[in-house]
Amino acid sequence: MACHRVALVIAFVFLVQMQLISGVHLVVTVTPDATVLPRIPGAKCAPGYHLTQQECAREASAFGGVLLDNKLAVGYWRNGAYGCSISVHGSRIFYNLNSNSYNDGLYTPVCKALTNEVTLLPLGQGIKCRTNHDFSEADCVAAASSVGGNLRGGVLLVGNWPNTPSGCFVEASDKAIHYSANSSGINDGYFQPVCIQGKEQITLFPAGKGISCTPGYNFSEEECISAAASVGGNLRDGKLLIDGGSNKPYGCSIEELSKAIYFGTNATGYNDGFFQPICLSLTGHIKSESYYGKASFHPPG
């Protein structure tokens, strides 16, 4: 979306450019020194994660930004991201001094690097971060801000709600950032968990009769939503479809036409050709439509 000595180190570089809407999975572009947030309305660096003007010129240039006449454009604008950003028009680098400005979606914020890669899960009942993939309360604001979350009333909303996921999340209606300490809370479908992106290497295989993951290269049911969302899958009616039918591959997959995420529980299930298995990969990158992972062909019968 380098081995410098920095406070925050990331293992891989991922780039997924999407809009922040229901059912869409977002990942942030990260290097060891800086983070480029998705180009979406309201995206901004969290407090404490703004670059200085000098850092802005250097880091934004590394992400393809352009300094007009070799100078950083510094000003006080109301429609751009506060701090450092790259404009969609000509990739020009800007530094906005207006802390009350609102990013209209035409500027890509460039911020100090986050501790971990961030993923925003889609809306859905019961959706939550995988075990050990939750952000702490201290990191919640920075992580959620990076995927379009905002502070309602200028504060992180902390509570112990029974109808929300535990940990860090944003409310669908206004993207307000919340943190729940209730480990037993169940997402009622109106909240999007903000989670640490797993480092697993994911391969989306083509739909084909008999195609399935090789044993040992399957994602678990708990891991399926996050893995499938990262390669374009979505939740039909806000739910992971768990199916024991004989016409679907065992494990995690997406239906080719609808991109609905399925988890097949039938160990002897045979892919009828309409499902794309999602498997652990042998490569070093997350790839969509990539066939370098580990899959098997199983003839019928």
Side-chain angles (χ1 to χ4, degrees), residues 33-47:
D33 296 304
T35 297
V36 170
L37 305 188
R39 186 184 295 142
I40 53 176
K44 61 188 181 300
C45 301

Side-chain angles (χ1 to χ4, degrees), residues 226-266:
S226 180
S230 73
V231 289
N234 59 65
L235 295 171
R236 181 181 295 167
D237 298 325
K239 298 178 181 178
L240 170 65
L241 302 175
I242 300 174
D243 196 309
S246 60
N247 66 322
K248 298 174 182 64
Y250 174 69
C252 191
S253 67
I254 61 175
E255 190 174 21
E256 185 179 28
L257 294 180
S258 68
K259 304 303 179 186
I261 303 172
Y262 281 81
F263 189 84
T265 58
N266 187 343

Side-chain angles (χ1 to χ4, degrees), residues 19-26 120 122-123 175 192:
Q19 293 182 343
L20 180 59
I21 55 177
S22 299
V24 170
H25 173 97
L26 287 174
L120 179 70
L123 288 172
K175 309 307 176 193
Q192 291 182 265

